Amino acid sequence: MVIGKWTHNVNAIPASGLSARRVANDEERAALAAELDILGCDQLEADYTLRPSAGGHVLMTGTVKAKVRQACVVTLEPVAETIHEPLDTRFVPAAEAFRPQDDEQEALAAEDLEPITGDSVDAGRIVFEVVAAALTPFPRLADAALSDDGILEAGAVGRDNPFAALAALKRDEPKG
């Protein structure tokens, strides 16, 4: 698992709930970055509460905070991003989580249910999924720009780069 053993035995969760604060270590953050194919994860923490609910369900609420670095889609330079997302998940017995829906309309409106595996809930997997879903899909530095012909303009990011050199060569080509 990418985010260690952030699991909880459902039988150890008191009726009043269980509060947890998890901070990823260097190894967990590196594994998360590798799995998500991003440049790095400098911080990852989750504060959450698990509460038993009727029918053997467990409710997980809280927040995930992360600081990650992705490659700019224009320059490939690092783009820092801060993630602050809520957690709101319902764990249910495995047989209930994979129950087929009656029709398409119900399936689209259905709550996303997570399975209880054996007698445990995997908070780490949920934290990973929240971070993955929150990532900016096409990160871009604020001053990174392409010209009309799709070439990175020289100086677009304030320093020399391979794309700027190629653009300069293209401008110097004889027309004709």
Side-chain angles (χ1 to χ4, degrees), residues 63-90:
T63 57
V64 173
K65 296 177 188 173
K67 291 185 180 178
V68 298
R69 288 174 281 115
Q70 296 188 73
C72 172
V73 296
V74 177
T75 66
L76 301 180
E77 302 224 11
V79 177
E81 180 176 2
T82 299
I83 294 170
H84 190 271
E85 291 289 321
L87 284 171
D88 188 10
T89 302
R90 179 183 300 269

PDB file of all heavy atoms in Angstrom, residues 63-90:
ATOM      1  N   THR A  63     -10.173  15.940   7.168  1.00  0.00           N
ATOM      2  CA  THR A  63      -9.500  16.710   6.121  1.00  0.00           C
ATOM      3  C   THR A  63      -8.162  16.082   5.760  1.00  0.00           C
ATOM      4  O   THR A  63      -7.523  15.423   6.573  1.00  0.00           O
ATOM      5  CB  THR A  63      -9.234  18.171   6.551  1.00  0.00           C
ATOM      6  OG1 THR A  63      -8.451  18.156   7.747  1.00  0.00           O
ATOM      7  CG2 THR A  63     -10.515  18.940   6.781  1.00  0.00           C
ATOM      8  N   VAL A  64      -7.756  16.338   4.523  1.00  0.00           N
ATOM      9  CA  VAL A  64      -6.452  15.923   4.017  1.00  0.00           C
ATOM     10  C   VAL A  64      -5.730  17.192   3.582  1.00  0.00           C
ATOM     11  O   VAL A  64      -6.302  18.035   2.896  1.00  0.00           O
ATOM     12  CB  VAL A  64      -6.585  14.980   2.803  1.00  0.00           C
ATOM     13  CG1 VAL A  64      -5.229  14.688   2.188  1.00  0.00           C
ATOM     14  CG2 VAL A  64      -7.274  13.695   3.196  1.00  0.00           C
ATOM     15  N   LYS A  65      -4.481  17.318   3.997  1.00  0.00           N
ATOM     16  CA  LYS A  65      -3.638  18.447   3.578  1.00  0.00           C
ATOM     17  C   LYS A  65      -2.378  17.866   2.955  1.00  0.00           C
ATOM     18  O   LYS A  65      -1.783  16.935   3.495  1.00  0.00           O
ATOM     19  CB  LYS A  65      -3.264  19.312   4.772  1.00  0.00           C
ATOM     20  CG  LYS A  65      -4.436  19.993   5.433  1.00  0.00           C
ATOM     21  CD  LYS A  65      -3.979  20.767   6.651  1.00  0.00           C
ATOM     22  CE  LYS A  65      -5.174  21.279   7.434  1.00  0.00           C
ATOM     23  NZ  LYS A  65      -4.784  21.886   8.704  1.00  0.00           N
ATOM     24  N   ALA A  66      -1.998  18.438   1.823  1.00  0.00           N
ATOM     25  CA  ALA A  66      -0.780  17.981   1.152  1.00  0.00           C
ATOM     26  C   ALA A  66      -0.128  19.142   0.414  1.00  0.00           C
ATOM     27  O   ALA A  66      -0.807  20.083   0.006  1.00  0.00           O
ATOM     28  CB  ALA A  66      -1.110  16.863   0.168  1.00  0.00           C
ATOM     29  N   LYS A  67       1.183  19.048   0.283  1.00  0.00           N
ATOM     30  CA  LYS A  67       1.951  19.962  -0.552  1.00  0.00           C
ATOM     31  C   LYS A  67       2.694  19.080  -1.543  1.00  0.00           C
ATOM     32  O   LYS A  67       3.495  18.234  -1.141  1.00  0.00           O
ATOM     33  CB  LYS A  67       2.913  20.808   0.278  1.00  0.00           C
ATOM     34  CG  LYS A  67       2.190  21.806   1.150  1.00  0.00           C
ATOM     35  CD  LYS A  67       3.141  22.709   1.882  1.00  0.00           C
ATOM     36  CE  LYS A  67       2.329  23.686   2.742  1.00  0.00           C
ATOM     37  NZ  LYS A  67       3.187  24.556   3.517  1.00  0.00           N
ATOM     38  N   VAL A  68       2.402  19.295  -2.821  1.00  0.00           N
ATOM     39  CA  VAL A  68       2.985  18.460  -3.864  1.00  0.00           C
ATOM     40  C   VAL A  68       3.645  19.337  -4.923  1.00  0.00           C
ATOM     41  O   VAL A  68       3.399  20.540  -4.993  1.00  0.00           O
ATOM     42  CB  VAL A  68       1.918  17.554  -4.526  1.00  0.00           C
ATOM     43  CG1 VAL A  68       1.312  16.598  -3.507  1.00  0.00           C
ATOM     44  CG2 VAL A  68       0.845  18.375  -5.196  1.00  0.00           C
ATOM     45  N   ARG A  69       4.486  18.696  -5.737  1.00  0.00           N
ATOM     46  CA  ARG A  69       5.125  19.359  -6.870  1.00  0.00           C
ATOM     47  C   ARG A  69       4.884  18.516  -8.111  1.00  0.00           C
ATOM     48  O   ARG A  69       5.128  17.306  -8.100  1.00  0.00           O
ATOM     49  CB  ARG A  69       6.632  19.500  -6.643  1.00  0.00           C
ATOM     50  CG  ARG A  69       6.984  20.533  -5.595  1.00  0.00           C
ATOM     51  CD  ARG A  69       8.474  20.547  -5.276  1.00  0.00           C
ATOM     52  NE  ARG A  69       8.780  19.419  -4.371  1.00  0.00           N
ATOM     53  CZ  ARG A  69       9.559  18.394  -4.684  1.00  0.00           C
ATOM     54  NH1 ARG A  69      10.158  18.327  -5.846  1.00  0.00           N
ATOM     55  NH2 ARG A  69       9.768  17.415  -3.810  1.00  0.00           N
ATOM     56  N   GLN A  70       4.367  19.189  -9.155  1.00  0.00           N
ATOM     57  CA  GLN A  70       4.153  18.539 -10.439  1.00  0.00           C
ATOM     58  C   GLN A  70       4.959  19.273 -11.501  1.00  0.00           C
ATOM     59  O   GLN A  70       5.369  20.409 -11.294  1.00  0.00           O
ATOM     60  CB  GLN A  70       2.680  18.594 -10.838  1.00  0.00           C
ATOM     61  CG  GLN A  70       1.744  17.843  -9.913  1.00  0.00           C
ATOM     62  CD  GLN A  70       0.360  17.798 -10.519  1.00  0.00           C
ATOM     63  OE1 GLN A  70       0.128  17.073 -11.470  1.00  0.00           O
ATOM     64  NE2 GLN A  70      -0.557  18.591  -9.980  1.00  0.00           N
ATOM     65  N   ALA A  71       5.148  18.648 -12.645  1.00  0.00           N
ATOM     66  CA  ALA A  71       5.857  19.280 -13.747  1.00  0.00           C
ATOM     67  C   ALA A  71       4.895  20.160 -14.534  1.00  0.00           C
ATOM     68  O   ALA A  71       3.792  19.740 -14.871  1.00  0.00           O
ATOM     69  CB  ALA A  71       6.467  18.227 -14.659  1.00  0.00           C
ATOM     70  N   CYS A  72       5.319  21.387 -14.825  1.00  0.00           N
ATOM     71  CA  CYS A  72       4.548  22.301 -15.662  1.00  0.00           C
ATOM     72  C   CYS A  72       4.365  21.659 -17.031  1.00  0.00           C
ATOM     73  O   CYS A  72       5.318  21.127 -17.606  1.00  0.00           O
ATOM     74  CB  CYS A  72       5.281  23.638 -15.785  1.00  0.00           C
ATOM     75  SG  CYS A  72       4.557  24.791 -16.967  1.00  0.00           S
ATOM     76  N   VAL A  73       3.158  21.691 -17.574  1.00  0.00           N
ATOM     77  CA  VAL A  73       2.902  21.070 -18.874  1.00  0.00           C
ATOM     78  C   VAL A  73       3.558  21.822 -20.026  1.00  0.00           C
ATOM     79  O   VAL A  73       3.675  21.282 -21.114  1.00  0.00           O
ATOM     80  CB  VAL A  73       1.383  20.913 -19.147  1.00  0.00           C
ATOM     81  CG1 VAL A  73       0.749  19.968 -18.145  1.00  0.00           C
ATOM     82  CG2 VAL A  73       0.678  22.256 -19.164  1.00  0.00           C
ATOM     83  N   VAL A  74       4.012  23.041 -19.782  1.00  0.00           N
ATOM     84  CA  VAL A  74       4.662  23.827 -20.828  1.00  0.00           C
ATOM     85  C   VAL A  74       6.178  23.740 -20.712  1.00  0.00           C
ATOM     86  O   VAL A  74       6.872  23.458 -21.685  1.00  0.00           O
ATOM     87  CB  VAL A  74       4.202  25.307 -20.779  1.00  0.00           C
ATOM     88  CG1 VAL A  74       4.936  26.138 -21.805  1.00  0.00           C
ATOM     89  CG2 VAL A  74       2.698  25.404 -20.989  1.00  0.00           C
ATOM     90  N   THR A  75       6.710  23.947 -19.511  1.00  0.00           N
ATOM     91  CA  THR A  75       8.161  24.060 -19.327  1.00  0.00           C
ATOM     92  C   THR A  75       8.812  22.863 -18.644  1.00  0.00           C
ATOM     93  O   THR A  75      10.022  22.755 -18.630  1.00  0.00           O
ATOM     94  CB  THR A  75       8.482  25.287 -18.451  1.00  0.00           C
ATOM     95  OG1 THR A  75       7.967  25.052 -17.137  1.00  0.00           O
ATOM     96  CG2 THR A  75       7.912  26.554 -19.054  1.00  0.00           C
ATOM     97  N   LEU A  76       8.010  22.018 -18.031  1.00  0.00           N
ATOM     98  CA  LEU A  76       8.466  20.872 -17.233  1.00  0.00           C
ATOM     99  C   LEU A  76       9.119  21.294 -15.917  1.00  0.00           C
ATOM    100  O   LEU A  76       9.679  20.476 -15.205  1.00  0.00           O
ATOM    101  CB  LEU A  76       9.407  19.960 -18.025  1.00  0.00           C
ATOM    102  CG  LEU A  76       8.818  19.364 -19.300  1.00  0.00           C
ATOM    103  CD1 LEU A  76       9.842  18.483 -19.994  1.00  0.00           C
ATOM    104  CD2 LEU A  76       7.543  18.598 -19.017  1.00  0.00           C
ATOM    105  N   GLU A  77       9.076  22.572 -15.590  1.00  0.00           N
ATOM    106  CA  GLU A  77       9.606  23.065 -14.321  1.00  0.00           C
ATOM    107  C   GLU A  77       8.620  22.710 -13.204  1.00  0.00           C
ATOM    108  O   GLU A  77       7.429  22.550 -13.448  1.00  0.00           O
ATOM    109  CB  GLU A  77       9.807  24.575 -14.399  1.00  0.00           C
ATOM    110  CG  GLU A  77      10.730  24.945 -15.525  1.00  0.00           C
ATOM    111  CD  GLU A  77      11.749  25.974 -15.131  1.00  0.00           C
ATOM    112  OE1 GLU A  77      11.880  26.263 -13.935  1.00  0.00           O
ATOM    113  OE2 GLU A  77      12.410  26.473 -16.039  1.00  0.00           O
ATOM    114  N   PRO A  78       9.101  22.620 -11.951  1.00  0.00           N
ATOM    115  CA  PRO A  78       8.211  22.268 -10.841  1.00  0.00           C
ATOM    116  C   PRO A  78       7.125  23.325 -10.592  1.00  0.00           C
ATOM    117  O   PRO A  78       7.387  24.520 -10.622  1.00  0.00           O
ATOM    118  CB  PRO A  78       9.149  22.195  -9.633  1.00  0.00           C
ATOM    119  CG  PRO A  78      10.516  22.043 -10.199  1.00  0.00           C
ATOM    120  CD  PRO A  78      10.496  22.727 -11.531  1.00  0.00           C
ATOM    121  N   VAL A  79       5.926  22.841 -10.362  1.00  0.00           N
ATOM    122  CA  VAL A  79       4.792  23.684  -9.990  1.00  0.00           C
ATOM    123  C   VAL A  79       4.327  23.195  -8.623  1.00  0.00           C
ATOM    124  O   VAL A  79       3.943  22.034  -8.472  1.00  0.00           O
ATOM    125  CB  VAL A  79       3.624  23.573 -11.001  1.00  0.00           C
ATOM    126  CG1 VAL A  79       2.437  24.406 -10.554  1.00  0.00           C
ATOM    127  CG2 VAL A  79       4.076  23.971 -12.390  1.00  0.00           C
ATOM    128  N   ALA A  80       4.388  24.075  -7.633  1.00  0.00           N
ATOM    129  CA  ALA A  80       3.958  23.716  -6.277  1.00  0.00           C
ATOM    130  C   ALA A  80       2.446  23.843  -6.180  1.00  0.00           C
ATOM    131  O   ALA A  80       1.842  24.742  -6.766  1.00  0.00           O
ATOM    132  CB  ALA A  80       4.629  24.616  -5.253  1.00  0.00           C
ATOM    133  N   GLU A  81       1.852  22.930  -5.438  1.00  0.00           N
ATOM    134  CA  GLU A  81       0.399  22.944  -5.249  1.00  0.00           C
ATOM    135  C   GLU A  81       0.094  22.544  -3.813  1.00  0.00           C
ATOM    136  O   GLU A  81       0.688  21.612  -3.275  1.00  0.00           O
ATOM    137  CB  GLU A  81      -0.245  21.966  -6.224  1.00  0.00           C
ATOM    138  CG  GLU A  81      -1.736  21.896  -6.114  1.00  0.00           C
ATOM    139  CD  GLU A  81      -2.362  20.978  -7.166  1.00  0.00           C
ATOM    140  OE1 GLU A  81      -1.634  20.358  -7.965  1.00  0.00           O
ATOM    141  OE2 GLU A  81      -3.593  20.895  -7.169  1.00  0.00           O
ATOM    142  N   THR A  82      -0.831  23.262  -3.210  1.00  0.00           N
ATOM    143  CA  THR A  82      -1.293  22.920  -1.868  1.00  0.00           C
ATOM    144  C   THR A  82      -2.691  22.344  -1.994  1.00  0.00           C
ATOM    145  O   THR A  82      -3.554  22.921  -2.654  1.00  0.00           O
ATOM    146  CB  THR A  82      -1.314  24.163  -0.964  1.00  0.00           C
ATOM    147  OG1 THR A  82       0.024  24.671  -0.869  1.00  0.00           O
ATOM    148  CG2 THR A  82      -1.811  23.818   0.434  1.00  0.00           C
ATOM    149  N   ILE A  83      -2.890  21.204  -1.365  1.00  0.00           N
ATOM    150  CA  ILE A  83      -4.183  20.518  -1.397  1.00  0.00           C
ATOM    151  C   ILE A  83      -4.773  20.564   0.001  1.00  0.00           C
ATOM    152  O   ILE A  83      -4.085  20.259   0.984  1.00  0.00           O
ATOM    153  CB  ILE A  83      -4.004  19.060  -1.866  1.00  0.00           C
ATOM    154  CG1 ILE A  83      -3.528  19.049  -3.323  1.00  0.00           C
ATOM    155  CG2 ILE A  83      -5.279  18.256  -1.678  1.00  0.00           C
ATOM    156  CD1 ILE A  83      -3.101  17.689  -3.815  1.00  0.00           C
ATOM    157  N   HIS A  84      -6.014  20.942   0.082  1.00  0.00           N
ATOM    158  CA  HIS A  84      -6.757  20.937   1.346  1.00  0.00           C
ATOM    159  C   HIS A  84      -8.166  20.463   1.007  1.00  0.00           C
ATOM    160  O   HIS A  84      -8.967  21.230   0.480  1.00  0.00           O
ATOM    161  CB  HIS A  84      -6.766  22.329   1.973  1.00  0.00           C
ATOM    162  CG  HIS A  84      -7.300  22.338   3.371  1.00  0.00           C
ATOM    163  ND1 HIS A  84      -8.629  22.503   3.648  1.00  0.00           N
ATOM    164  CD2 HIS A  84      -6.682  22.174   4.562  1.00  0.00           C
ATOM    165  CE1 HIS A  84      -8.816  22.463   4.954  1.00  0.00           C
ATOM    166  NE2 HIS A  84      -7.634  22.260   5.523  1.00  0.00           N
ATOM    167  N   GLU A  85      -8.436  19.198   1.262  1.00  0.00           N
ATOM    168  CA  GLU A  85      -9.695  18.588   0.837  1.00  0.00           C
ATOM    169  C   GLU A  85     -10.406  17.914   2.006  1.00  0.00           C
ATOM    170  O   GLU A  85      -9.760  17.366   2.907  1.00  0.00           O
ATOM    171  CB  GLU A  85      -9.433  17.526  -0.231  1.00  0.00           C
ATOM    172  CG  GLU A  85      -8.962  18.078  -1.557  1.00  0.00           C
ATOM    173  CD  GLU A  85     -10.053  18.821  -2.303  1.00  0.00           C
ATOM    174  OE1 GLU A  85     -11.216  18.383  -2.274  1.00  0.00           O
ATOM    175  OE2 GLU A  85      -9.719  19.858  -2.915  1.00  0.00           O
ATOM    176  N   PRO A  86     -11.737  17.916   1.975  1.00  0.00           N
ATOM    177  CA  PRO A  86     -12.484  17.219   3.024  1.00  0.00           C
ATOM    178  C   PRO A  86     -12.509  15.709   2.777  1.00  0.00           C
ATOM    179  O   PRO A  86     -12.381  15.251   1.646  1.00  0.00           O
ATOM    180  CB  PRO A  86     -13.897  17.802   2.883  1.00  0.00           C
ATOM    181  CG  PRO A  86     -13.992  18.183   1.438  1.00  0.00           C
ATOM    182  CD  PRO A  86     -12.604  18.619   1.042  1.00  0.00           C
ATOM    183  N   LEU A  87     -12.663  14.985   3.856  1.00  0.00           N
ATOM    184  CA  LEU A  87     -12.885  13.536   3.801  1.00  0.00           C
ATOM    185  C   LEU A  87     -14.329  13.287   4.215  1.00  0.00           C
ATOM    186  O   LEU A  87     -14.788  13.827   5.227  1.00  0.00           O
ATOM    187  CB  LEU A  87     -11.976  12.808   4.797  1.00  0.00           C
ATOM    188  CG  LEU A  87     -10.520  12.651   4.452  1.00  0.00           C
ATOM    189  CD1 LEU A  87      -9.759  12.102   5.656  1.00  0.00           C
ATOM    190  CD2 LEU A  87     -10.347  11.736   3.270  1.00  0.00           C
ATOM    191  N   ASP A  88     -15.019  12.482   3.465  1.00  0.00           N
ATOM    192  CA  ASP A  88     -16.389  12.113   3.809  1.00  0.00           C
ATOM    193  C   ASP A  88     -16.689  10.786   3.120  1.00  0.00           C
ATOM    194  O   ASP A  88     -17.083  10.755   1.955  1.00  0.00           O
ATOM    195  CB  ASP A  88     -17.371  13.196   3.360  1.00  0.00           C
ATOM    196  CG  ASP A  88     -18.787  12.952   3.874  1.00  0.00           C
ATOM    197  OD1 ASP A  88     -18.964  12.055   4.729  1.00  0.00           O
ATOM    198  OD2 ASP A  88     -19.697  13.647   3.411  1.00  0.00           O
ATOM    199  N   THR A  89     -16.431   9.702   3.830  1.00  0.00           N
ATOM    200  CA  THR A  89     -16.509   8.371   3.248  1.00  0.00           C
ATOM    201  C   THR A  89     -17.317   7.453   4.151  1.00  0.00           C
ATOM    202  O   THR A  89     -17.263   7.557   5.368  1.00  0.00           O
ATOM    203  CB  THR A  89     -15.087   7.792   3.068  1.00  0.00           C
ATOM    204  OG1 THR A  89     -14.344   8.685   2.240  1.00  0.00           O
ATOM    205  CG2 THR A  89     -15.099   6.429   2.445  1.00  0.00           C
ATOM    206  N   ARG A  90     -18.038   6.532   3.521  1.00  0.00           N
ATOM    207  CA  ARG A  90     -18.785   5.514   4.263  1.00  0.00           C
ATOM    208  C   ARG A  90     -18.208   4.151   3.900  1.00  0.00           C
ATOM    209  O   ARG A  90     -18.196   3.754   2.741  1.00  0.00           O
ATOM    210  CB  ARG A  90     -20.265   5.557   3.911  1.00  0.00           C
ATOM    211  CG  ARG A  90     -21.098   4.503   4.635  1.00  0.00           C
ATOM    212  CD  ARG A  90     -22.557   4.529   4.196  1.00  0.00           C
ATOM    213  NE  ARG A  90     -23.162   5.813   4.462  1.00  0.00           N
ATOM    214  CZ  ARG A  90     -23.802   6.126   5.595  1.00  0.00           C
ATOM    215  NH1 ARG A  90     -23.915   5.226   6.553  1.00  0.00           N
ATOM    216  NH2 ARG A  90     -24.330   7.314   5.765  1.00  0.00           N
TER     217      ARG A  90
END
